[in-house]
Amino acid sequence: MKVNISKSNLINAVNIASKAVPAKTTLPILECILIDASTEKIKFMANDEELGIETIQDGTILEHGIIAIDAAIFGNIVRKLPDGMDVTLETDGEQVTIRSGKIVFSISGRDGSDFPYLPEIDRSYSIEVSELTLRDIITKTIFAISTNDTNQLMTGELFEIRNREQLRVAALDGHRISVRSVELKESYEDRKVIIPGKTLTEISKILDPNPEEMVHVYLADKHAMFQFGTTTVVTRLIEGTYFNVDQMISGDYNTHVRINRQAFLSCLDRATLLVHEEDKKPIILKITDESLELRIRTAMGSMDENLSIEKEGSDIVIGFNPRLLMDALRAIDEDDVEVYFLSPRAPAFIRDESTYCYLILPVNFISYD
């Protein structure tokens, strides 16, 4: 194999493909990026057998062939090459020569025929959504997935086609729920799948915030495939029945508050200055007519602050993990938010009529009065 490619295209390929290289594996071939120039396209691929990524980059194929190269070594070399230069990759058996100007590296590769290619999946069901919309809906829900593998369902997000023209994405970790909905431009059959959070995190890093470029999402029985630009991502789905999100999201409330989002977020941010990462101290919200008092007491000190609000319903005193509130507020773009409370022991909801709903469980606290 011998190919000539610009450093910028090579860096782009390595950065994209590397997202599917496993951090730990017992199979050395999976630590590699496959460079496939056996056809008329230069393909770069990585696959940890749960998540696979293939991206095609422009370049000149001088000799056809394939080679697998250790992703860490290859990536480090490519990043250190001079900017604005072309790079030539040439193989002699499993030996790889990397040339850029007067710089020549020679490293060992692996037989590309041993590399596990991306699986073929059924493409009979697919939806289209813009890159901007998909990235937005992922980043505004993904923080609520669980990082604990005890319950595999919580490590993924529910992608649900509802009422034929709505995509709803939901995530939960036992302390909160994040739900986002977008209207689709076409009509599709209703369907539900659970996509691993790891896959969605990596996809969101690759996607451009472009409202004109579309992502084709194929949903099969055991896999999902995302195609956008010259990149293809294939992932295994998480098997099982997801939690009944509708049942968890109640419309009942006794207290309704309208508050400036940025003022609320800034106040919470100040409060966390007094909270160690491992500290479980809650922030206490005391809601009365036209006033929201926030209080926190920790070993480091205390803080009290009052914010103006619009309130309907009963007064309430309730405690929360401040970081859970902050995550939800950061995922919202509107200037003001609507917050609904039922009781000090029931979940609170930050939501609008149709686009988003963030459920946050309260925590027990000792009154400071």
Side-chain angles (χ1 to χ4, degrees), residues 49-51 194-196 199 222-224 234-238:
E49 299 190 316
E50 296 291 329
L51 167 65
I194 307 169
I195 300 177
T199 297
K222 294 187 177 181
H223 292 86
V234 176
T235 182
R236 288 185 186 271
L237 298 175
I238 297 175

Side-chain angles (χ1 to χ4, degrees), residues 32-36 43-46 66-69 110-113 115 117:
C32 298
I33 290 176
L34 179 74
I35 305 174
D36 183 349
K43 302 175 183 178
F44 297 80
M45 189 184 311
I66 59 174
I67 191 71
I69 309 177
R110 293 181 178 273
D111 186 350
S113 62
F115 194 87
Y117 278 74

Side-chain angles (χ1 to χ4, degrees), residues 256-271:
H256 169 216
V257 168
R258 182 179 179 88
I259 186 170
N260 180 269
R261 182 186 66 86
Q262 189 56 55
F264 194 13
L265 181 57
S266 296
C267 181
L268 292 166
D269 194 28
R270 284 188 286 274

Side-chain angles (χ1 to χ4, degrees), residues 24-76:
K24 294 181 181 180
T25 179
T26 57
L27 299 175
I29 193 67
L30 298 185
E31 297 175 344
C32 298
I33 290 176
L34 179 74
I35 305 174
D36 183 349
S38 60
T39 62
E40 300 309 311
K41 299 177 180 178
I42 307 176
K43 302 175 183 178
F44 297 80
M45 189 184 311
N47 188 358
D48 69 3
E49 299 190 316
E50 296 291 329
L51 167 65
I53 299 177
E54 175 190 285
T55 186
I56 298 170
Q57 297 293 326
D58 290 334
T60 303
I61 299 175
L62 303 173
E63 294 179 13
H64 293 287
I66 59 174
I67 191 71
I69 309 177
D70 183 279
I73 296 171
F74 185 50
N76 287 336

Side-chain angles (χ1 to χ4, degrees), residues 317-330:
V317 180
I318 189 169
F320 292 101
N321 179 330
R323 292 189 172 87
L324 301 190
L325 285 172
M326 292 169 67
D327 285 343
L329 292 170
R330 285 176 176 144

Side-chain angles (χ1 to χ4, degrees), residues 58-117:
D58 290 334
T60 303
I61 299 175
L62 303 173
E63 294 179 13
H64 293 287
I66 59 174
I67 191 71
I69 309 177
D70 183 279
I73 296 171
F74 185 50
N76 287 336
I77 290 174
V78 170
R79 292 182 186 98
K80 296 293 185 180
L81 295 177
D83 293 335
M85 300 283 287
D86 283 352
V87 181
T88 300
L89 307 175
E90 186 174 6
T91 62
D92 182 4
E94 294 183 3
Q95 199 68 20
V96 184
T97 301
I98 305 168
R99 290 189 179 88
S100 179
K102 297 180 180 180
I103 303 168
V104 180
F105 281 92
S106 182
I107 60 174
S108 297
R110 293 181 178 273
D111 186 350
S113 62
D114 295 334
F115 194 87
Y117 278 74

Side-chain angles (χ1 to χ4, degrees), residues 254-255 287-289 311 313-317:
N254 290 322
T255 308
I287 299 169
T288 56
D289 289 341
K311 168 182 161 283
S314 307
D315 293 350
I316 188 172
V317 180

